[in-house]
């Protein structure tokens, strides 16, 4: 038992983004994208079969693939719900470094709030970190629910929004404005377009960024235990 305790911090440090999502989902079922568990879908006969214990490595791989599938299915299959939730936040004022609509939302916290509130998925706090989650796609490949990035401060990936279709995206632009829909083809945003990502369960986050997400997962665990 003590050996497992020693191994867990190192194992968690190496977990991919998708695996962190699993911890978030198991920590608080209210954030789960699909509340139906695998065991609930099994027939009584299947449920009674004794399953051999997996090694920690095998279990980690299993969770990774299941979380990746859930993430892809949820974003692509629930893009309408995601966009509708984002639209409900239109008019919320821009406010830097806040995470709830009641207080205001900046560019990255708006995106993070919508994905966590609607799909139960944790994204990194900063837009530059979000740009390393999922797979890069071209502008021609954009689908509703994809993340779009812009260079608005002479810094790459310094702003992020959610693509809603028809060459439009929704975002929280800057101080003195509020959440709104803009056109990718407009002169300002077209010149500053910096790429797009589709969430597919993969990531290129560094150790510190992964630890930051893990800390957020631990906060959710503590919150769920206090309810």
């Amino acid at each position: 038992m003590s050996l497992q305790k020693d191994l867990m911090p190192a194992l968690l440090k190496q977990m991919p983004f998708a695996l962190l999502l699993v911890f978030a989902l198991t920590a608080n079922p209210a954030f789960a994208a699909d509340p139906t568990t695998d065991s609930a879908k099994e027939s009584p006969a299947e449920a009674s079969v004794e399953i051999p214990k997996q090694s920690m490595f095998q279990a980690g791989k299993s969770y990774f693939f299941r979380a990746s599938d859930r993430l892809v299915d949820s974003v692509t299959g629930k893009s309408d719900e995601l966009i509708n939730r984002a639209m409900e936040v239109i008019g919320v004022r821009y406010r830097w470094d806040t995470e709830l609509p009641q207080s205001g939302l900046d560019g990255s916290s708006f995106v993070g709030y919508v994905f966590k509130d609607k799909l139960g998925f944790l994204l990194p706090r900063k837009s530059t970190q979000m740009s390393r989650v999922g797979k890069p796609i071209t502008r021609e490949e954009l689908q509703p629910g994809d993340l779009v990035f812009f260079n608005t401060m002479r810094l790459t990936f310094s702003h992020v929004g959610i693509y809603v279709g028809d060459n439009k995206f929704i975002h929280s632009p800057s101080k003195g404005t509020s959440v709104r829909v803009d056109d990718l083809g407009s002169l300002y945003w077209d010149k500053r377009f910096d790429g797009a990502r589709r969430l597919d369960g993969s990531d290129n986050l560094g150790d510190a960024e992964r630890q930051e997400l893990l800390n957020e997962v631990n906060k959710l665990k503590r919150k769920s235990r206090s309810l």
Side-chain angles (χ1 to χ4, degrees):
M1 190 70 180
S2 61
L3 179 59
Q4 282 191 351
K5 286 185 177 180
D6 293 337
L7 285 174
M8 283 305 290
L11 182 63
L12 291 172
K13 185 178 179 182
Q14 299 300 321
M15 284 181 179
F17 173 70
L19 188 49
L20 285 176
L21 297 177
V22 172
F23 272 82
L25 296 173
T26 55
N28 192 340
F31 289 108
D34 181 5
T36 306
T37 61
D38 291 339
S39 59
K41 297 175 183 177
E42 293 176 344
S43 66
E46 291 172 327
S48 64
V49 176
E50 185 176 350
I51 301 173
K53 292 182 179 179
Q54 292 179 303
S55 69
M56 293 173 72
F57 175 74
Q58 290 172 323
K61 285 183 67 177
S62 173
Y63 277 129
F64 171 74
F65 289 118
R66 285 171 57 195
S68 297
D69 289 343
R70 176 178 286 179
L71 183 56
V72 174
D73 289 344
S74 297
V75 174
T76 57
K78 298 186 178 181
S79 60
D80 287 345
E81 296 177 35
L82 184 74
I83 301 308
N84 288 339
R85 185 69 187 99
M87 293 292 187
E88 291 173 7
V89 192
I90 284 180
V92 170
R93 64 174 178 158
Y94 178 97
R95 187 173 181 183
W96 185 75
D97 202 26
T98 56
E99 298 181 4
L100 293 173
Q102 296 91 324
S103 306
L105 295 166
D106 62 24
S108 54
S109 64
F110 160 70
V111 172
Y113 168 77
V114 171
F115 272 85
K116 186 166 75 171
D117 182 69
K118 178 47 64 178
L119 300 182
F121 295 128
L122 292 174
L123 289 173
R125 177 65 183 84
K126 301 174 183 177
S127 58
T128 52
Q129 296 172 323
M130 289 183 186
S131 72
R132 294 194 285 277
V133 172
K135 69 175 181 180
I137 57 174
T138 66
R139 194 160 170 170
E140 292 70 30
E141 295 174 310
L142 279 170
Q143 295 178 8
D146 292 336
L147 302 184
V148 286
F149 296 89
F150 305 88
N151 183 334
T152 57
M153 303 171 60
R154 296 185 180 178
L155 292 171
T156 55
F157 309 114
S158 52
H159 185 62
V160 61
I162 303 172
Y163 185 71
V164 299
D166 196 27
N167 212 36
K168 304 287 196 304
F169 69 103
I170 185 169
H171 65 139
S172 183
S174 59
K175 185 177 180 179
T177 66
S178 57
V179 175
R180 71 187 190 205
V181 174
D182 275 321
D183 196 318
L184 279 174
S186 66
L187 181 62
Y188 182 89
W189 296 111
D190 183 62
K191 286 175 60 177
R192 290 165 175 77
F193 183 76
D194 219 10
R197 309 284 292 197
R198 178 164 300 150
L199 301 186
D200 67 344
S202 62
D203 73 79
N204 294 314
L205 298 175
D207 289 343
E209 295 164 326
R210 205 184 308 278
Q211 185 62 46
E212 189 176 328
L213 264 183
L214 182 58
N215 292 340
E216 185 66 22
V217 170
N218 289 332
K219 285 182 185 178
L220 284 177
K221 284 186 176 181
R222 289 193 292 270
K223 182 178 178 181
S224 66
R225 282 196 289 264
S226 66
L227 293 178

